Amino acid sequence: MYPTAVSAPMRNYRGRFAPSPSGPLHFGSLVAAVGSFLDAKINQGKWLVRIEDIDTTRIVKGADSDILHTLERFALHWDEEVVYQTQRLNLYQSYVDSLLSKQLVYGCRCTRKQIKAAGGLYLGHCKHLNHNIEHGAIRLMQCHATNQFTDLIQGQINIDDALAKEDYLIKRSDGLFAYQLVVVIDDIEQQINRVVRGADLINPTARQISLFKQFDNAVPQYAHLPLAVAEPGFKLSKQNHAQSIANQHPQQTLMQALAFLGLPTPPQLLDLTTEQMIGWATEHFSLSRVPKVAEIQI
Ligand SMILES: [Zn+2]
């Protein structure tokens, strides 16, 4: 019905969708799920699901199974077992220990308020103070500052030099591992070689790339999809009570997600099951069709 984009599939593609279980799936996260799924499948790759529950202060009970059910309803079937970050704390600690043995980390007692008062950027105040690292926050000495990268959708991304050089937290003062650390360890362990996700995570990507280098690991390719926003600058999120898609007509919602990703949406698609719609989309999706913008108002 429409020409299929022709490009050689990436070999041994491994991608993932990594929602945090802080509420039900909303339209913005569905777009990320569909986009990452279709890109994996058009490359004959694997699509994994990881529940990013490392920040236990934000977990909503039952949200994980709710998200997984919703993915199944939209015919987004994952390969391999679902991974939960809270079940891998020993793994994360082993990576921290390896940094520790190389003397690349230090304890930090600065409060967010103090850092903000000093201009917002952490300038290494605790670097030579030898704080005990058994308790409190831990920072990594930045040895692989990355201030630019090429995104498969958004093009060249430049990051502020001072921010790129900042020693950043890998463990928070409340004892939780920092998101930046665990997301990279997970991607390394799951051998993810392409990350397709929402553009709200575009700036932290440079820091994640520096961590891949720190751990001497190949850096995945990145493709950041436009973010669904309610109004410019305000993404749909669980925090601002974006409507759950659980009770919406799945075909219609899926059709909107496909259109958002730049796919043609012939009306007869609505007569298909979600399974058939996803099958159709798998043959027509291409990253090159995705609008090259950071956000789209819906
Ligand atoms: Zn400090």
Side-chain angles (χ1 to χ4, degrees):
M1 170 164 29
Y2 290 91
T4 306
V6 180
S7 62
M10 186 177 159
R11 292 184 61 187
N12 303 321
Y13 182 120
R14 289 175 67 82
R16 64 1 178 241
F17 173 60
S20 59
S22 53
L25 218 59
H26 58 77
F27 182 75
S29 37
L30 178 71
V31 165
V34 173
S36 58
F37 178 90
L38 294 178
D39 191 52
K41 293 303 154 186
I42 207 157
N43 283 285
Q44 292 148 29
K46 300 265 191 226
W47 186 70
L48 313 186
V49 171
R50 173 163 85 222
I51 300 292
E52 295 200 325
D53 57 353
I54 193 68
D55 187 351
T56 46
T57 63
R58 292 179 53 219
I59 294 177
V60 172
K61 204 164 174 268
D64 57 337
S65 53
D66 190 66
I67 288 170
L68 294 175
H69 283 136
T70 306
L71 291 177
E72 281 177 328
R73 230 170 118 239
F74 283 92
L76 301 170
H77 306 299
W78 53 91
D79 304 297
E80 303 182 11
E81 207 178 323
V82 174
V83 163
Y84 284 73
Q85 291 178 325
T86 45
Q87 292 172 1
R88 321 180 102 199
L89 300 181
N90 290 338
L91 174 72
Y92 305 143
Q93 188 58 49
S94 72
Y95 275 77
V96 170
D97 289 343
S98 80
L99 297 172
L100 190 60
S101 69
K102 292 175 185 154
Q103 298 182 307
L104 289 172
V105 299
Y106 58 90
C108 172
R109 299 284 158 82
C110 303
T111 62
R112 204 176 287 186
K113 203 172 162 188
Q114 285 169 324
I115 296 167
K116 206 175 167 193
L121 215 58
Y122 189 73
L123 301 172
H125 181 259
C126 300
K127 197 167 182 171
H128 302 292
L129 296 182
N130 289 320
H131 291 311
N132 183 336
I133 58 159
E134 296 299 316
H135 308 285
I138 300 178
R139 286 184 187 271
L140 173 66
M141 293 181 202
Q142 178 57 281
C143 312
H144 298 273
T146 301
N147 60 7
Q148 59 166 254
F149 67 96
T150 304
D151 187 90
L152 295 175
I153 298 171
Q154 308 287 341
Q156 184 169 318
I157 304 298
N158 298 304
I159 307 294
D160 178 72
D161 221 27
L163 185 66
K165 289 179 179 155
E166 189 182 36
D167 290 346
Y168 54 90
L169 289 177
I170 54 169
K171 207 166 190 179
R172 306 178 354 178
S173 57
D174 59 7
L176 296 176
F177 292 107
Y179 169 76
Q180 304 298 348
L181 173 77
V182 300
V183 73
V184 169
I185 295 174
D186 289 333
D187 284 340
I188 291 173
E189 292 290 323
Q190 296 188 290
Q191 296 172 289
I192 301 300
N193 49 21
R194 186 178 290 175
V195 175
V196 180
R197 60 185 177 189
D200 51 333
L201 290 165
I202 205 158
N203 285 331
T205 302
R207 194 161 275 182
Q208 290 168 18
I209 290 172
S210 71
L211 254 179
F212 279 102
K213 292 177 182 166
Q214 179 65 63
F215 290 128
D216 217 9
N217 200 89
V219 177
Q221 296 180 328
Y222 287 94
H224 286 87
L225 305 167
L227 212 57
V229 294
E231 48 186 298
F234 290 91
K235 72 162 180 164
L236 299 180
S237 71
K238 293 156 192 167
Q239 285 72 35
N240 67 18
H241 307 292
Q243 222 183 341
S244 161
I245 53 172
N247 301 319
Q248 294 172 5
H249 187 267
Q251 276 90 339
Q252 242 152 31
T253 309
L254 186 52
M255 188 91 148
Q256 283 167 9
L258 297 180
F260 190 96
L261 291 165
L263 277 150
T265 47
Q268 59 268 36
L269 271 187
L270 284 176
D271 300 332
L272 305 178
T273 62
T274 52
E275 203 84 39
Q276 291 166 326
M277 286 175 81
I278 285 291
W280 178 89
T282 302
E283 285 167 20
H284 295 83
F285 177 80
S286 164
L287 279 185
S288 62
R289 286 187 190 270
V290 177
K292 293 170 178 51
V293 293
E295 59 180 45
I296 298 176
Q297 203 168 338
I298 58 159

